[in-house]
Amino acid sequence: MDVSGTLAAEDNTRPPAVIKATARQLLVKLGAGGLTLEAVAAEGGLAVADVAAVFPHRDDLLTALVIDAYNESGAAMEQADQAAGDAGGAAGARLLAVTRALRRWSFANPAEFTLIYGSPVPGYHAPQATVPPASRTPGVLAGIVRAALEAGDLTPPRRTVAPPGPPLLLPEAVELFGGVPEAPFSDIIERGIVLWSNLIGLLVFQVFSRTHDSVRDESAFFDYAIAVAAEGIGLVVPLGENTD
C-alpha cells in the first residue's frame, strides 16, 4: 500500500510546517523585521505557547525559514543542472540553466529571496547551521566551473589580475572548488566568486525592480548579463538557446 501521499499530507499539517507556512505569509506582509512568535500565533490562530513549543525564540523560526529558503533555491539550481547535463548541455548551457532556475525561484518567492539576500534582519545572526544550505548555490556554480576546467572548455584570461597581498581565499572556498588549479587558471576561484556575486547582485536589482526602467526585456538582459559575467572565467554562454 502506497502511503507516501498520506505521509506528505500529514507532514504539511504538523506543527512545524503549519507555523513555518504562517511565518512565510507574514514575511510577505510584514517583512522579516516584523516577524514575532506573537504575530505568527495571531496570524495562524494558534496559542503563543504552541508556537514557542516548536520554535522557542524568533531567531529559531527565522533560522528554519532561512535554511528552507537556501535549500529550496539550491535544489532548484541542482535540478536544472541535472536536466541540462542530461540533455547534453555544455558548461555554458548548464550555467545559464541554473542561473535562470535561481531567477525563477527568486521571482516566485520574493519574500524568501529578501530574507536570505536582502538587508540583514535587525538583531538576528545566522548560526552555523545555515552555512551548508547556503553553500548549495556556490556549490552548483563551482561544480560547473570545475567541469569546464577539466574538460578544457575555459579560455585563459586575456588579462592577468594578481590578487593583492596575502591569499584572499578562505580554506572553505578552496575545498568547495576542489583545490587551486595551476596557471593560467590559478585565480579561477576568485573569478568564480565574482561571478557568484554578480549573479546575486543582478537578482537583487531585478527582484527589487531596479532595472525595469533601464532595459526593454529583463529576462533577455539577465541572460546577457550572465554571459558577460561568465566571460570573466573564460566560459562562453550560449545566448539565444533554450537551456531550460
Side-chain angles (χ1 to χ4, degrees), residues 37-188:
L37 299 188
E38 292 78 10
V40 172
E43 181 76 11
L46 304 168
V48 176
D50 292 336
V51 177
V54 181
F55 299 105
H57 304 285
R58 179 211 65 164
D59 287 6
D60 299 318
L61 178 54
L62 274 176
T63 295
L65 296 178
V66 166
I67 288 174
D68 284 354
Y70 276 130
N71 278 331
E72 290 169 9
S73 57
M77 295 179 71
E78 291 161 0
Q79 292 163 10
D81 189 29
Q82 182 68 50
D86 290 346
R94 289 171 58 192
L95 179 65
L96 189 56
V98 303
T99 54
R100 283 175 171 176
L102 183 58
R103 183 178 188 270
R104 285 193 298 272
W105 179 89
S106 301
F107 274 92
N109 303 276
E112 287 83 356
F113 174 84
T114 302
L115 177 64
I116 56 177
Y117 292 122
S119 299
V121 180
Y124 175 72
H125 301 283
Q128 184 66 26
T130 62
V131 173
S135 298
R136 291 177 72 168
T137 290
V140 172
L141 300 178
I144 293 172
V145 175
R146 186 83 205 186
L149 178 64
E150 293 172 351
D153 291 338
L154 294 185
T155 301
R158 289 175 291 179
R159 184 169 70 96
T160 301
V161 181
L168 297 176
L169 300 174
L170 292 172
E172 292 82 357
V174 176
E175 181 181 0
L176 181 68
F177 190 76
V180 177
E182 297 181 353
F185 299 107
S186 54
D187 66 343
I188 195 66

Side-chain angles (χ1 to χ4, degrees), residues 184-231:
F185 299 107
S186 54
D187 66 343
I188 195 66
I189 302 176
E190 291 91 338
R191 290 173 180 266
I193 295 173
V194 172
L195 172 65
W196 174 30
S197 303
N198 286 343
L199 167 61
I200 300 304
L202 176 61
L203 286 172
V204 167
F205 258 54
Q206 293 209 329
V207 172
F208 298 153
S209 297
R210 296 293 186 266
T211 55
H212 74 281
D213 56 355
S214 301
V215 299
R216 295 180 183 275
D217 185 331
E218 290 191 85
S219 178
F221 180 79
F222 177 86
D223 290 354
Y224 166 79
I226 293 300
V228 171
E231 288 181 352

Side-chain angles (χ1 to χ4, degrees), residues 3-30:
V3 297
S4 59
T6 301
L7 291 176
E10 289 178 353
D11 285 342
N12 289 334
T13 59
R14 289 173 179 169
V18 172
I19 293 169
K20 288 193 292 184
T22 303
R24 290 190 184 98
Q25 294 172 8
L26 284 179
L27 283 180
V28 176
K29 295 180 180 180
L30 305 176

